[in-house]
Amino acid sequence: MNIGLTLFAQSLVFILFVAFCMKYVWPLLKAAMEERRQSIAQGLAAAEEAERKLGEAHSGAQEELANARAEAAQIIEQARQRGSQMIEEAKNEARAEGERLLESARMEVAQEVNRAKEGLRRQVAALALQGAERVLEERIDRGRHERMLEKLAAEL
Amino acid sequence: MAAATQTSSEYIKHHLTNLTYGQHPDGTWGFAHSAAEAKEMGFMSIHVDSMAWSIGLGLIFLFLFRRAARHATAEVPGGLQNAVEIIVEFIEETVESIFNHKNALVAPLALTIFVWVFLMNLMDLVPVDWVPELAKLMGVHYMKIVPSTDPNITMSMALTVFALILYYSIKCKGAGGFLAELSLHPFPSKLLAPVNLVLECVTLVAKPLSLGLRLFGNLYAGEMIFVLIALMFSAGFVFALVGGLFQFVWAAFHLIVITLQAFVFAVLTVVYLAQAHEVDEH
């Protein structure tokens, strides 16, 4: 319990230890810790940046998708319009064609009727001629009476 | 255990005596063979056990921390580095919250004080008879293994801190500024300067005294209680049992005390140095 030289010896040791700690321990530890702190901060910043970029890419993709969807809808709408237009055109064409066919059939029928009328006329003329021959009991010279017969036939 | 030939008071006295090397009254140098002989040596003596244990513990501290510092990388830290960094960070935060001047010495100083004093205090938890009995077997008669129960050790650290307080006070405030601070507080009047000077000098001197004696007193008392508990071990089976319980409880409580005292010593050092750096406005 005496106060003695220990006091000085221990002071000297204390100073040496503190000096050693100050020179060879503290700065190294501090440097390493500071370096780690910075690298962690950098890592966090990089992660944040990556997240931000991901968000950006995501919204870009969303926009692209929306564009594509709108375009597709537009194309479908165009196709639908074109389809209905084509159907309309085909209908019109068919109607015109039908009318044309009907017209030509009608004309043909008229021609046929005319032809039949002609035939009948001729037959009637021939019958009339035959009848006249019979009545007259003599042959009529076809060549001489041709004009007259034609006239008759036309009158029928 | 106390040897059969010892009385209780001899046992206690034996535990409180340092292994002392010094100058005998007849002028020769040598180890003291009894407490009385050590006392006769007076100032010209050195406590070999205190010095050896404190230097050894200090070297353990420096070795571990130096090892961690040398291998310190910014990569994922290992176990030792992690433990060391926790302590360093704790000290750094504490220092930063108290001391806001630029000084490269204060933080390493606080770290050294905290860890070293903690290790010295930790020796208090080693059962009181183990090492002394072992030393006795090797022919060494006195062995105190807790350096911080030696006032020489605690006061030497406190006085070194005191020297730093004086140095930084004069460096930061100038000799005149320091003197002005001492003589113009607490009463800001030139007439009362002598009174102030006396009061402030008492305050100033009280700093190292309280610093060193607080640590010494706490640890000395703790050590004493461990010694008294150890006395119970040789007083019969029931006493030994109760003593064992006491020892456990006291050791558990003491764990808090030794950490707290190490921390208080470090923090007060930082506080005193911060005060030394503060330059007054008037």
Side-chain angles (χ1 to χ4, degrees):
Chain A
M1 284 267 301
N2 306 327
I3 295 295
L5 292 175
T6 319
L7 202 63
F8 295 113
Q10 176 71 4
S11 296
L12 193 69
V13 173
F14 180 48
I15 291 166
L16 288 178
F17 280 2
V18 170
F20 185 88
C21 179
M22 184 179 163
K23 207 165 168 84
Y24 298 109
V25 176
W26 186 268
L28 295 178
L29 284 170
K30 279 284 297 169
M33 286 161 79
E34 188 52 39
E35 201 180 320
R36 176 156 351 101
R37 192 169 296 144
Q38 269 172 15
S39 79
I40 288 173
Q42 274 170 8
L44 285 177
E48 215 162 277
E49 174 71 15
E51 205 171 325
R52 197 180 59 75
K53 273 187 181 155
L54 183 67
E56 260 172 28
H58 197 71
S59 64
Q62 213 74 315
E63 205 174 301
E64 204 81 343
L65 203 61
N67 280 350
R69 239 181 232 135
E71 206 170 320
Q74 199 183 339
I75 287 170
I76 288 171
E77 188 52 36
Q78 274 177 358
R80 193 173 289 143
Q81 276 178 5
R82 180 97 186 92
S84 56
Q85 197 182 336
M86 274 165 81
I87 288 170
E88 202 59 35
E89 272 171 17
K91 265 186 196 161
N92 287 345
E93 215 165 283
R95 197 174 290 130
E97 177 72 7
E99 264 163 29
R100 199 175 57 76
L101 281 176
L102 206 59
E103 192 58 33
S104 75
R106 218 174 261 146
M107 271 164 66
E108 217 161 290
V109 167
Q111 269 178 355
E112 209 61 36
V113 168
N114 281 347
R115 208 172 290 138
K117 271 183 184 165
E118 192 71 18
L120 277 174
R121 217 174 273 143
R122 272 171 214 266
Q123 272 175 354
V124 168
L127 279 175
L129 204 56
Q130 249 175 354
E133 265 174 7
R134 294 254 169 91
V135 171
L136 293 173
E137 296 269 64
E138 66 166 293
R139 272 198 188 255
I140 299 169
D141 183 7
R142 224 176 231 272
R144 260 168 52 193
H145 305 290
E146 189 76 23
R147 270 196 353 167
M148 192 190 68
L149 284 173
E150 284 288 321
K151 226 164 130 184
L152 189 69
E155 266 168 31
L156 280 169
Chain B
M1 302 284 151
T5 52
Q6 276 181 322
T7 66
S8 294
S9 88
E10 272 169 4
Y11 175 75
I12 294 171
K13 207 173 258 175
H14 181 265
H15 267 288
L16 297 181
T17 307
N18 283 103
L19 178 64
T20 313
Y21 182 88
Q23 195 177 25
H24 291 295
D26 58 12
T28 57
W29 287 76
F31 281 103
H33 298 290
S34 67
E37 239 176 79
K39 200 160 196 153
E40 278 170 5
M41 287 175 176
F43 193 77
M44 296 306 283
S45 62
I46 187 159
H47 293 161
V48 179
D49 49 359
S50 294
M51 286 309 301
W53 284 100
S54 66
I55 291 173
L57 292 165
L59 287 179
I60 290 174
F61 152 62
L62 287 181
F63 172 75
L64 286 178
F65 275 62
R66 172 70 186 156
R67 211 179 125 89
R70 246 204 346 224
H71 296 114
T73 58
E75 309 294 310
V76 179
L80 174 68
Q81 199 188 335
N82 240 338
V84 164
E85 281 184 9
I86 288 170
I87 299 171
V88 167
E89 203 150 56
F90 169 66
I91 292 295
E92 196 188 11
E93 269 170 27
T94 309
V95 170
E96 267 173 10
S97 67
I98 300 169
F99 188 90
N100 37 29
H101 307 275
K102 262 195 96 66
N103 192 325
L105 170 70
V106 172
L109 175 71
L111 176 70
T112 309
I113 288 174
F114 176 66
V115 182
W116 196 19
V117 170
F118 175 76
L119 288 175
M120 292 199 280
N121 293 354
L122 194 63
M123 299 311 291
D124 213 2
L125 295 181
V126 178
V128 287
D129 276 324
W130 281 10
V131 182
E133 290 296 311
L134 202 66
K136 204 182 270 179
L137 288 179
M138 298 192 307
V140 181
H141 289 286
Y142 297 101
M143 183 55 69
K144 267 180 83 176
I145 63 166
V146 193
S148 44
T149 58
D150 183 345
N152 284 292
I153 299 292
T154 61
M155 281 315 293
S156 69
M157 294 173 85
L159 288 173
T160 310
V161 170
F162 185 57
L164 285 173
I165 294 172
L166 293 181
Y167 170 72
Y168 281 115
S169 291
I170 292 171
K171 190 186 170 196
C172 296
K173 300 164 190 171
F178 186 38
L179 204 65
E181 192 188 70
L182 289 179
S183 52
L184 293 174
H185 284 265
F187 309 112
S189 154
K190 288 216 159 52
L191 281 174
L192 290 170
V195 183
N196 285 335
L197 201 60
V198 171
L199 285 174
E200 285 297 303
C201 280
V202 169
T203 311
L204 194 66
V205 171
K207 283 176 181 175
L209 279 179
S210 70
L211 201 57
L213 291 182
R214 177 186 298 108
L215 180 61
F216 162 69
N218 273 284
L219 269 290
Y220 187 77
E223 173 83 343
M224 187 69 116
I225 299 224
F226 276 122
V227 173
L228 290 177
I229 289 170
L231 263 181
M232 296 176 78
F233 293 144
S234 53
F237 179 71
V238 179
F239 272 106
L241 217 59
V242 176
L245 183 70
F246 278 178
Q247 168 134 9
F248 176 78
V249 172
W250 183 243
F253 175 67
H254 215 55
L255 258 179
I256 305 168
V257 173
I258 61 171
T259 317
L260 198 65
Q261 287 305 322
F263 182 64
V264 164
F265 201 115
V267 166
L268 280 181
T269 300
V270 178
V271 169
Y272 291 155
L273 286 178
Q275 285 173 353
H277 278 72
E278 257 153 37
V279 181
D280 230 1
E281 294 87 48
H282 60 106

